[in-house]
Amino acid sequence: MLDVTEEEHVRSKERAIQHIPRLRANLAALSELSIKVLKVPINIGRNNHLRFMLMSYTIKQIEHSRSLLRLKSSVDTTLVARSMLEGLMQLLWAMKQPRRRPLMWRVFAFILDWRLLERQWSQGVVVDSETERHIRWGLRRYGKWFLTKEARHAATARKPLPKDPYTKNWYGEREAAIFRDVGGQVLLEGAYSPFSEWHHWRPGAFGRLLSFDKQTSTFAMTTADPNQVAMALATGFQCLWQTMRLLNSRCRLRIGRDLIDLRRRQLALGK
């Protein structure tokens, strides 16, 4: 006889299996709409950093959605959905300061180029002088935005900066902090954290996929988890849908009704 926990797990698995075909269909429809929209050139303006960031993130979210569909019943769908969540949260975080943060995302390239320059120098590679001047110009103009806490203290005290004084990423925050800042606490706890267990090879992720046979002292491991796959598909839809809604509002793509219709289809699964 099943205990309450096991019974709930069985029911949850059955619901997931029932919903997965429609979750896939909804994500496929949204992906097709997004691809169709991007086939027509979209004017993002010459110096509109927010639109540039939006377009770039949209293209990646579309590619991720296609990967989700290709992976079918694999638990690796959670890895793709996790990346989609990170992208959406970064985008929402950037839009809280739409003039500065998208520019930060774009000019962090100077930090990456400088690090490459440093490696090339250490290896004795000859660097083009014009390229070096351009990178130095970028650092003088934007480098202060990305100084680590240690580097800022050193600069204030007029002491030498660390060998690499810059943050590891353009936003300089932990992912969890960004989730909370944009109101994504539910997604952080309900999707991103469970998906991260599989991403980081944690025992809990394996535990959900393992089964043991005491009589034969053997174990089996599946790579298909309907609950996780359903959550990944739902998460992927949410990430692409919100990204497309933002792009539509900023670039006037006239797909508002289509997005609303797809959203209604998705919400109908919860009834």
Side-chain angles (χ1 to χ4, degrees):
M1 185 174 180
L2 295 175
D3 61 27
V4 175
T5 304
E6 288 177 312
E7 193 172 339
E8 288 177 350
H9 178 73
V10 170
R11 285 206 204 98
S12 177
K13 183 177 179 180
E14 289 174 348
R15 284 196 300 271
I17 292 172
Q18 180 184 357
H19 286 155
I20 282 174
R22 292 173 66 187
L23 286 168
R24 286 179 56 81
N26 289 349
L27 180 59
L30 178 58
S31 181
E32 288 169 8
L33 171 65
S34 305
I35 292 170
K36 180 181 177 181
V37 167
L38 263 59
K39 285 182 178 179
V40 179
I42 297 173
N43 182 12
I44 61 172
R46 185 174 179 182
N47 293 308
N48 193 316
H49 305 298
L50 176 56
R51 285 188 181 182
F52 178 76
M53 185 180 187
L54 262 171
M55 276 296 299
S56 302
Y57 273 52
T58 297
I59 292 168
K60 184 171 182 180
Q61 292 286 29
I62 291 171
E63 185 61 23
H64 274 337
S65 71
R66 295 172 67 189
S67 297
L68 270 179
L69 295 169
R70 290 192 196 102
L71 284 167
K72 296 183 179 180
S73 62
S74 171
V75 71
D76 275 0
T77 52
T78 61
L79 302 179
V80 180
R82 180 182 184 274
S83 180
M84 294 180 79
L85 274 173
E86 283 189 358
L88 176 61
M89 294 304 117
Q90 288 177 24
L91 195 55
L92 294 175
W93 187 77
M95 293 191 73
K96 294 188 75 173
Q97 294 183 23
R99 290 186 178 274
R100 180 182 173 94
R101 286 177 177 170
L103 178 59
M104 287 177 65
W105 172 74
R106 195 167 186 175
V107 301
F108 191 73
F110 287 115
I111 307 300
L112 300 176
D113 287 344
W114 172 79
R115 286 174 176 150
L116 175 60
L117 201 66
E118 290 287 303
R119 288 197 299 273
Q120 289 177 330
W121 278 341
S122 68
Q123 296 165 4
V125 177
V126 177
V127 179
D128 177 69
S129 59
E130 185 62 32
T131 299
E132 183 182 346
R133 279 196 294 272
H134 181 65
I135 294 171
R136 295 293 179 191
W137 172 85
L139 288 179
R140 286 195 300 273
R141 184 165 185 176
Y142 302 111
K144 58 183 177 292
W145 290 0
F146 306 105
L147 291 175
T148 62
K149 186 177 181 180
E150 180 185 0
R152 290 197 302 270
H153 287 326
T156 302
R158 297 185 178 181
K159 294 181 179 180
L161 298 181
K163 186 177 180 180
D164 185 342
Y166 304 112
T167 55
K168 291 183 179 180
N169 53 55
W170 70 273
Y171 44 89
E173 300 278 352
R174 291 183 177 274
E175 278 71 20
I178 289 181
F179 271 80
R180 295 187 182 98
D181 191 32
V182 300
Q185 184 71 27
V186 172
L187 285 172
L188 173 65
E189 295 175 357
Y192 188 78
S193 293
F195 294 167
S196 294
E197 289 189 344
W198 185 243
H199 176 77
H200 291 297
W201 298 71
R202 290 172 184 156
F206 286 88
R208 287 192 288 269
L209 303 174
L210 291 169
S211 60
F212 295 88
D213 188 328
K214 293 181 180 179
Q215 291 183 341
T216 60
S217 298
T218 60
F219 77 91
M221 179 173 164
T222 180
T223 55
D225 183 339
N227 285 322
Q228 292 285 296
V229 171
M231 178 60 74
L233 289 168
T235 300
F237 181 95
Q238 183 68 20
C239 291
L240 180 56
W241 188 87
Q242 281 193 251
T243 304
M244 289 303 299
R245 185 179 67 167
L246 292 171
L247 185 67
N248 181 54
S249 66
R250 291 286 174 168
C251 298
R252 300 177 182 177
L253 305 179
R254 299 180 180 178
I255 57 169
R257 287 187 178 181
D258 293 321
L259 291 174
I260 290 172
D261 289 342
L262 285 168
R263 180 67 169 168
R264 284 174 180 163
R265 282 168 51 180
Q266 186 77 349
L267 292 174
L269 292 175
K271 296 180 180 179

